[in-house]
Amino acid sequence: MTEHGYSSNSLAEAVNRAIERLTGRPGGLDGSSVRAWKAGRVTWPKSAARKALEDVSGLPAVALGFVPRSRSSSIPAPPQQEDPDMKRRTLVGGIAAAAAAAAAAPATASPRRIGMSDVNRLNKRFAEIIASDHRHGGQLGIEQRAAALADEALNLQNAGSATQRVRSSLYASAAAFRSSAMWAAIDGRRYDVAKAHMREAQALAEMSGDQSIKFRIWSHAGTMYRHMGRTADALAANDVARNLHLTRRDPLFASLGLARQGAIQGAAQDRADTRRAFEQAQDAMLRADPADHRPVWMLAFYDQAELDSLALTGYLALGDYPTAEYHAHRCLSALRPHMVRSRAITMTRLAHAQLAQGDADAATATAMEVSADAATRHARVSRMLQEFGAALRATASGSTTIQTWIEHTATWRMAA
Amino acid sequence: MTTAPAIDLRTFTTLDAIRGDLLDVYADVRAPLLHLPNYAVTAFGERLDRHGAEPGFTTVLAYVDGHPVGYAYSNTIEHGDRYWQRTSPTPAQKYTERPAVALKEIGVRPAWRKTGTARRIHDALLATRDEPFVTLMVNPAAGDGKVHALYKSWGYEDIGQSQPSPASPVLTVMIRTIR
């Protein structure tokens, strides 16, 4: 950098000003931060600094020689023959020169102004993705579209000037889109990818300062760890969501936090805690004012049916099959008609709860109500039905119900 | 049974094609226990999906006339893995300094027990692995200690105890060299 005749301090100042444009608060970097990048002690700057650096340089962080953490699956690796260390040293030096020059020159063109209408346009496209998720779920297409939309929201941040309110809304939207990508990856059991989405979403949510989106991301994280069989991590992540101030302001958020805690405690075989969590979740839901203002994603999915669906999951994991069945019936009667995927999952779980109580005929009749479309196209449903078939053959051997089930599943293969 | 059964041993490193066969044979092997939450087919399916995506996943299925009659599967574990962290006392360094095979499940349908099928599945699985050691966990009370005694007869030695989940009994951790 000294060969360019500029200090690390001048680059740090330029990045601090760019952070201020992004977040409304100047960044706190100094020359030692820049030296840490150059020396490779920091290989992937925090997201605000990274975005600011991209702003200042006009180049993506990867092109500057930085190496993302755990993002190998979603970001193409730089070509082998290029040495990221070399690039980072020379390019960061080059930016210092460019930044110093830009600081000296008068502004040439004024960038366009970004407004709430831009934010609303993105949110409308997001709503279409959410609707598609409720129909199909867990699919790679949904994940990729949501992640692409999050990047689009961030690009918009950098496309011109905006008020603090617009900036915060854009970060909140980008965080929401990323967390939907995370959810699709969890649903599709792609946990490494889900974790990469989670980290990005968490950083964006912090920049937005939006409590409800922070709640959503940590609540999703708890569910992800539950699916991974890591119940201690699941409870800790879910607690982050439950401890947000929002849950004291709005009992509906408190209810969702408690219901997901119940599902985790069921997986951890804590019988008494599971029961208490679901009772408290139900109380909180009854206290919630339906007229309160809430984000679209919350209104779209958390209601009495979802609470019963989580209770079904928790009691099934505990092996309390009669209570699981009770919540399955309640869920099915309250489920909104467009929740096609939820209905298929609930039907399948009900079939398991009935079979575990020894009623093979009722269980098979329930499993046969799952649509062929859901049974063949939704990976989670088809896996659970595969498990149902195995449990049926092992526990009801010799009954005619098995033949009925075999013939029924054969029709899917013809349809698929 | 007067003639030796014609057993066809097949090895797989991905789950997709044989998930249904694994569930079927598991459910038959564990039929008396399926009502327990930890043994439910759904719980096994979830574990299988996780382990199937983890390093070194290898499974061997034994088929007779195209029907699966036995199975085993394993993953590779390394120093610092939860498997070793939960083992007490801390295993000797010679076991953990290099990756080891953890045999997660092995089972044979009732009609094929005591025919040497389990041992053949076990040996076929290890034949594909390059690691120096293989480890497994066994409930010392299972079959009044007969299962534990069987693994001893296969060359395994006790090295400690582990409780892999809150719902699980305390298990004995065993180890042996692969070759």
Side-chain angles (χ1 to χ4, degrees):
Chain A
M1 197 163 291
T2 42
E3 62 266 36
H4 294 284
Y6 301 104
S7 68
S8 298
N9 290 336
S10 67
L11 176 59
E13 279 163 25
V15 174
N16 284 339
R17 282 194 299 276
I19 290 176
E20 185 171 15
R21 284 195 296 277
L22 286 169
T23 67
R25 279 196 299 265
L29 301 171
D30 57 24
S32 70
S33 319
V34 175
R35 286 188 290 277
W37 296 340
K38 288 175 67 183
R41 288 192 297 276
V42 174
T43 55
W44 190 238
K46 292 211 169 94
S47 72
R50 205 170 69 234
K51 302 242 151 42
L53 199 50
E54 289 176 336
D55 238 359
V56 168
S57 67
L59 290 168
V62 174
L64 293 170
F66 293 107
V67 183
R69 285 189 296 260
S70 319
R71 296 280 311 270
S72 49
S73 51
S74 53
I75 285 188
Q80 286 296 317
Q81 67 270 24
E82 290 184 52
D83 174 8
D85 287 334
M86 200 59 197
K87 271 204 316 200
R88 198 177 54 247
R89 281 194 295 273
T90 53
L91 281 172
V92 172
I95 300 160
T108 45
S110 65
R112 83 177 183 91
R113 189 152 185 84
I114 305 150
M116 282 311 286
S117 61
D118 295 295
V119 179
N120 293 338
R121 216 167 11 249
L122 283 171
N123 288 343
K124 187 164 170 289
R125 284 168 56 199
F126 178 56
E128 288 158 14
I129 297 176
I130 290 281
S132 154
D133 186 53
H134 287 153
R135 279 194 298 277
H136 308 302
Q139 290 177 5
L140 205 52
I142 291 165
E143 181 194 330
Q144 285 163 346
R145 281 161 62 204
L149 208 56
D151 287 341
E152 214 176 307
L154 284 178
N155 289 338
L156 197 56
Q157 271 304 6
N158 298 330
S161 64
T163 62
Q164 182 56 36
R165 174 168 162 264
V166 170
R167 294 252 180 249
S168 295
S169 303
L170 269 178
Y171 281 125
S173 295
F177 306 162
R178 232 351 133 170
S179 69
S180 285
M182 173 191 177
W183 187 247
I186 293 169
D187 204 25
R189 300 293 191 264
R190 296 181 293 277
Y191 299 124
D192 284 345
V193 182
K195 278 191 246 175
H197 288 311
M198 174 181 77
R199 280 188 280 268
E200 186 74 18
Q202 280 163 342
L204 293 166
E206 285 301 325
M207 289 197 282
S208 78
D210 184 319
Q211 288 243 323
S212 71
I213 194 63
K214 284 187 204 177
F215 179 95
R216 184 180 191 219
I217 292 161
W218 283 103
S219 180
H220 281 359
T223 301
M224 177 181 77
Y225 288 123
R226 169 167 63 84
H227 286 313
M228 292 170 75
R230 292 166 56 170
T231 48
D233 294 333
L235 277 178
N238 193 63
D239 277 350
V240 177
R242 288 193 53 218
N243 290 334
L244 286 165
H245 199 262
L246 174 70
T247 60
R248 280 178 275 290
R249 209 165 60 219
D250 186 346
L252 195 66
F253 281 89
S255 175
L256 176 54
L258 284 160
R260 283 190 161 162
Q261 178 176 308
I264 296 164
Q265 283 165 333
Q269 305 298 318
D270 294 333
R271 197 165 283 268
D273 289 343
T274 304
R275 199 168 297 277
R276 187 162 45 240
F278 285 122
E279 281 167 8
Q280 290 175 348
Q282 186 64 69
D283 288 348
M285 172 158 285
L286 295 174
R287 277 201 313 279
D289 182 350
D292 270 3
H293 175 78
R294 295 189 180 97
V296 175
W297 62 263
M298 185 69 166
L299 296 173
F301 105 105
Y302 191 61
D303 55 10
Q304 185 63 49
E306 180 63 21
L307 172 50
D308 283 309
S309 167
L310 285 163
L312 163 60
T313 306
Y315 287 111
L316 211 47
L318 273 183
D320 181 347
Y321 302 115
T323 310
E325 177 170 5
Y326 162 79
H327 286 287
H329 289 300
R330 273 177 58 119
C331 174
L332 288 169
S333 66
L335 207 55
R336 287 174 272 183
H338 70 279
M339 305 292 268
V340 178
R341 172 183 55 138
S342 298
R343 179 167 298 275
I345 291 173
T346 307
M347 278 287 179
T348 310
R349 288 192 175 131
L350 173 58
H352 275 283
Q354 290 170 325
L355 183 62
Q357 293 175 81
D359 197 344
D361 292 344
T364 306
T366 301
M368 285 169 69
E369 281 188 58
V370 177
S371 72
D373 187 58
T376 52
R377 286 186 57 200
H378 192 316
R380 203 157 121 200
V381 175
S382 56
R383 284 187 201 134
M384 279 163 59
L385 286 171
Q386 206 175 33
E387 289 155 11
F388 176 79
L392 181 69
R393 276 187 282 273
T395 56
S397 59
S399 90
T400 55
T401 312
I402 295 176
Q403 197 53 37
T404 310
W405 179 247
I406 290 169
E407 283 164 17
H408 178 72
T409 55
T411 62
W412 296 338
R413 264 168 232 122
M414 281 182 271
Chain B
M1 219 165 294
T2 50
T3 53
I7 294 173
D8 178 16
L9 298 169
R10 299 183 207 163
T11 307
F12 304 87
T13 53
T14 56
L15 202 50
D16 294 349
I18 40 87
R19 189 178 187 273
D21 282 353
L22 270 171
L23 293 175
D24 281 347
V25 67
Y26 168 86
D28 226 28
V29 169
R30 305 286 185 195
L33 301 173
L34 295 184
H35 62 286
L36 301 171
N38 206 34
Y39 286 95
V41 181
T42 45
F44 174 71
E46 280 172 24
R47 284 198 293 275
L48 194 58
D49 291 340
R50 282 203 296 275
H51 294 153
E54 285 174 7
F57 178 76
T58 308
T59 180
V60 171
L61 278 155
Y63 289 88
V64 173
D65 298 332
H67 296 290
V69 301
Y71 75 105
Y73 80 83
S74 67
N75 285 102
T76 307
I77 54 166
E78 293 190 38
H79 182 79
D81 196 282
R82 281 200 292 175
Y83 187 102
W84 287 135
Q85 285 176 344
R86 283 177 184 148
T87 302
S88 120
T90 304
Q93 200 189 345
K94 66 167 178 170
Y95 298 134
T96 60
E97 65 188 354
R98 289 169 61 191
V101 171
L103 186 66
K104 299 275 174 76
E105 292 254 356
I106 181 162
V108 173
R109 283 192 159 144
W112 297 94
R113 286 178 195 161
K114 298 184 174 142
T115 62
T117 306
R119 184 69 197 260
R120 290 183 60 192
I121 293 170
H122 173 266
D123 292 353
L125 192 150
L126 295 187
T128 67
R129 305 303 314 181
D130 298 326
E131 291 81 356
F133 292 101
V134 53
T135 173
L136 57 77
M137 295 183 198
V138 59
N139 183 347
D144 293 326
K146 283 189 194 134
V147 182
H148 185 218
L150 178 70
Y151 296 144
K152 272 196 166 160
S153 77
W154 291 0
Y156 285 87
E157 292 168 32
D158 297 357
I159 53 160
Q161 292 187 321
S162 177
Q163 188 175 13
S165 73
S168 157
V170 175
L171 305 175
T172 301
V173 181
M174 306 183 82
I175 201 159
R176 59 159 262 191
T177 55
I178 285 188
R179 295 198 210 298

